[in-house]
Amino acid sequence: MRAFTYERATTPEAAAGATLAEGAKFIAGGTNLLDLMKLDIERPSHLVDISRLDLKGITETEDGGLRVGALVTNTDLASDPRVKAGYGVLSRAIVAGASGQIRNKATTGGNLLQRARCSYFYDTNLPCNKREPGSGCAALTGLSRPLAVIGTSDACIAQHPSDMAVAMRVLDARVNTLQADGTERALALDDFYRLPGDTPHLETTLEAGELITGVTLPAPVGGTHVYRKVRDRASYAFALVSVAAIVNGRESRFAFGGVAPRPWRVEEAETAGAAAGPDARARAVINAAFADARPTEQNAFKVPLLRRTLTAVLEQASGEEK
Amino acid sequence: MSQTNARTPAPHPHQPSTQGVTLSVNGQEHSLTLDPRVTLLDTLREHLHLTGTKKGCDHGQCGACTVLVDGTRVLSCLTLAVMHDGQEVTTVEGLGTPDALHPLQDAFIRHDGYQCGYCTPGQLCSSVGTLDEIARGVPSHVTDDLDDVSFSAEELRERLSGNICRCAAYPNIIAAVSEVHAAQNGAATQEAAQ
């Protein structure tokens, strides 16, 4: 690991100001950043430890939603009685990810910012436009089985790894931030995450020094909450595909993970085949939401797998609704 | 306040720096001066010579380095020691002693919950944390009802999935932890009845 200087931030404002400097980065749970630093992929020269800031609470908002502090751990968020009761899809998505030890450290803000798990991003001997802009993409002609099928570009086909963010997307969560000049922003996830285009190293619209202070969840949405994840082993693995769903007749919402550079949701596709049975409805939704998919030969299986997974989700939801 | 996004170099980026940190490890306080790069794992092993905690993959994938920080199980390889100033760390050496084993240590021995034993310290610390998490109602991926978190072998297997054992002593580990849970639960039930 390369040398860095370390400071512990005492206020969100001071933290934001401290990371205006080039090479400075926030650290909170550290479960992704330290791994990447050991591999010489992340190379901060200065770490601003935000882990003791007062951003660990979950509070109710005036419109009946929840404001989740950026430093709430994944375990605490998934275990909160209000989250379990009103946002089951979020609890389910969080506990589908990582291991207990990691969820005890990983934070809400950090989870949103975790970096790609593409094996070429991790291999510093091979080109990767996300790691070294302009160096090329070894995944395009390499082992692409786990990678994205939609929203990609000729520069990058890495998929977003978070389960939590897929549930946040289906819940219409907003990311609250504080900029170094004191400006606060609230960003919808689609405005927060960039698609790769020709700048895949720029993953979010955060500005230099901008600190995630929390996530706001709107008031609970009725319906059956399901998170279904398909992976190569039963536990402690990233998704090949995943579905976050709130099933409530024609008002149903679906977001998809493991298939795109950000949680993938196409609102216009959600009513497709709404009157049909699970199988036909899933086919209609996936056909509409993935019409622009450009899978590789190796990951073309993801679209039919996602269709079957959505069928299973709809069957599960109709079973629970009986 | 107006600030631009112009980037200036971070303070002293390439100068060696050290940081003071006080850790309470297994009930004993240690004041150390560390390079901020030093992980909690390396601090325990290389600076405090507590070699019970094992370095396996060093990348958060195997669970061998699991310890308890303020009572919660975490991976000591994926956290910096300087971030834990003032916090309580419990390693396998702090769970019990050869003369007074922790119930889980005793049960692991009786059920042969280890073969080479390298993963065992992490398995023990992870099991302590797991039983506490179930008691606190923390759900897992296999929990049917989010509001009714209860103990089962299936829950244990899922919750210990971050602790890899190449000898595959898993069935014996499940037996050992299940026995301790039953004993604790029986004791709790008796206390409640009195």
Side-chain angles (χ1 to χ4, degrees):
Chain A
M1 202 186 300
R2 293 182 191 223
F4 57 83
T5 45
Y6 170 90
E7 72 174 283
R8 186 176 297 149
T10 50
T11 65
E13 292 76 14
T19 52
L20 274 177
E22 190 177 348
K25 263 195 165 311
F26 297 119
I27 187 166
T31 54
N32 188 209
L33 180 59
L34 285 170
D35 184 28
L36 294 170
M37 286 167 67
K38 288 179 181 187
L39 294 165
D40 207 28
I41 295 166
E42 293 275 11
R43 302 165 179 177
S45 53
H46 185 62
L47 281 187
V48 178
D49 177 1
I50 58 170
S51 65
R52 309 228 175 170
L53 296 182
D54 182 19
L55 298 171
K56 298 187 176 77
I58 303 176
T59 53
E60 283 153 41
T61 61
E62 282 179 8
D63 61 359
L66 289 179
R67 166 77 189 246
V68 180
L71 296 172
V72 173
T73 65
N74 282 180
T75 295
D76 286 349
L77 183 55
S79 307
D80 187 276
R82 294 161 295 184
V83 176
K84 287 185 192 177
Y87 308 90
V89 66
L90 180 56
S91 282
R92 296 288 184 192
I94 289 171
V95 297
S99 66
Q101 290 98 314
I102 290 176
R103 293 193 295 270
N104 283 340
K105 282 289 280 180
T107 63
T108 303
N111 189 317
L112 294 173
L113 293 177
Q114 68 178 302
R115 304 212 60 198
R117 310 291 170 156
C118 174
S119 56
Y120 299 99
F121 175 68
Y122 267 74
D123 188 341
T124 53
N125 294 305
L126 291 169
C128 169
N129 288 320
K130 190 182 277 296
R131 178 166 35 74
E132 298 288 346
S135 63
C137 173
L140 289 172
T141 53
L143 299 170
S144 56
R145 180 175 174 273
L147 304 178
V149 299
I150 197 165
T152 55
S153 71
D154 291 339
C156 183
I157 58 170
Q159 84 282 32
H160 195 265
S162 172
D163 293 295
M164 183 194 81
V166 185
M168 295 278 194
R169 179 69 182 90
V170 90
L171 289 165
D172 283 335
R174 296 178 83 80
V175 183
N176 303 108
T177 71
L178 176 69
Q179 292 181 299
D181 66 0
T183 306
E184 294 183 10
R185 299 204 288 169
L187 297 161
L189 283 192
D190 268 2
D191 299 326
F192 177 77
Y193 288 120
R194 295 170 186 260
L195 289 177
D198 55 7
T199 54
H201 60 293
L202 301 175
E203 295 171 347
T204 72
T205 53
L206 290 174
E207 302 275 348
E210 191 166 8
L211 174 75
I212 297 176
T213 54
V215 170
T216 304
L217 303 173
V221 183
T224 304
H225 286 226
V226 180
Y227 188 77
R228 195 153 180 139
K229 179 174 178 177
V230 181
R231 45 187 160 178
D232 281 333
R233 59 184 187 192
S235 183
Y236 199 21
F238 290 98
L240 288 171
V241 304
S242 72
V243 175
I246 301 174
V247 182
N248 189 13
R250 286 190 71 82
E251 307 300 312
S252 297
R253 305 174 178 195
F254 311 108
F256 307 102
V259 289
R262 63 185 182 198
W264 197 254
R265 182 177 174 199
V266 179
E267 276 88 337
E268 305 80 60
E270 291 174 348
T271 53
D279 193 42
R281 185 177 188 186
R283 187 177 300 274
V285 170
I286 297 297
N287 282 349
F290 287 84
D292 295 332
R294 289 199 316 161
T296 67
E297 197 175 321
Q298 290 175 24
N299 67 19
F301 73 94
K302 284 195 174 193
V303 178
L305 179 59
L306 198 55
R307 172 170 51 73
R308 294 190 202 105
T309 306
L310 181 57
T311 302
V313 165
L314 292 168
E315 284 173 348
Q316 179 184 336
S318 64
E320 285 183 10
E321 282 165 354
K322 276 173 195 164
Chain B
M1 183 170 76
S2 88
Q3 271 178 301
T4 68
N5 287 343
R7 298 209 132 193
T8 52
H12 322 297
H14 301 298
Q15 302 297 315
S17 73
T18 55
Q19 195 79 25
V21 59
T22 300
L23 298 173
S24 171
V25 182
N26 302 328
Q28 198 182 332
E29 210 158 89
H30 299 272
S31 290
L32 302 159
T33 302
L34 298 173
D35 184 314
R37 283 176 285 186
V38 181
T39 61
L40 181 57
L41 171 60
D42 288 340
T43 303
L44 295 170
R45 290 182 56 85
E46 309 297 336
H47 294 263
L48 302 179
H49 308 295
L50 291 166
T51 53
T53 306
K54 297 295 186 275
K55 181 181 280 196
C57 68
D58 207 27
H59 288 278
Q61 297 175 4
C62 77
C65 69
T66 303
V67 300
L68 301 159
V69 173
D70 288 344
T72 302
R73 59 177 174 148
V74 301
L75 299 173
S76 59
C77 76
L78 285 188
T79 194
L80 299 172
V82 293
M83 297 179 73
H84 295 284
D85 190 43
Q87 295 183 334
E88 307 253 345
V89 179
T90 304
T91 69
V92 69
E93 292 95 340
L95 294 182
T97 65
D99 298 328
L101 295 172
H102 185 281
L104 276 165
Q105 291 171 318
D106 181 56
F108 266 60
I109 292 169
R110 283 185 292 96
H111 288 274
D112 192 12
Y114 48 79
Q115 285 169 29
C116 96
Y118 197 82
C119 69
T120 308
Q123 299 273 13
L124 285 163
C125 288
S126 193
S127 298
V128 171
T130 292
L131 290 176
D132 177 58
E133 285 161 24
I134 292 173
R136 286 192 287 122
V138 174
S140 88
H141 180 53
V142 299
T143 304
D144 279 335
D145 179 352
L146 290 174
D147 292 321
D148 182 20
V149 176
S150 54
F151 181 91
S152 69
E154 189 192 10
E155 283 281 0
L156 262 192
R157 277 192 284 271
E158 163 62 23
R159 290 167 189 268
L160 295 178
S161 65
N163 291 82
I164 311 297
C165 164
R166 291 293 183 195
C167 308
Y170 302 129
N172 296 349
I173 292 169
I174 299 297
V177 183
S178 298
E179 182 184 278
V180 171
H181 174 264
Q184 287 178 349
N185 235 35
T189 310
Q190 280 176 8
E191 276 172 31
Q194 280 168 4

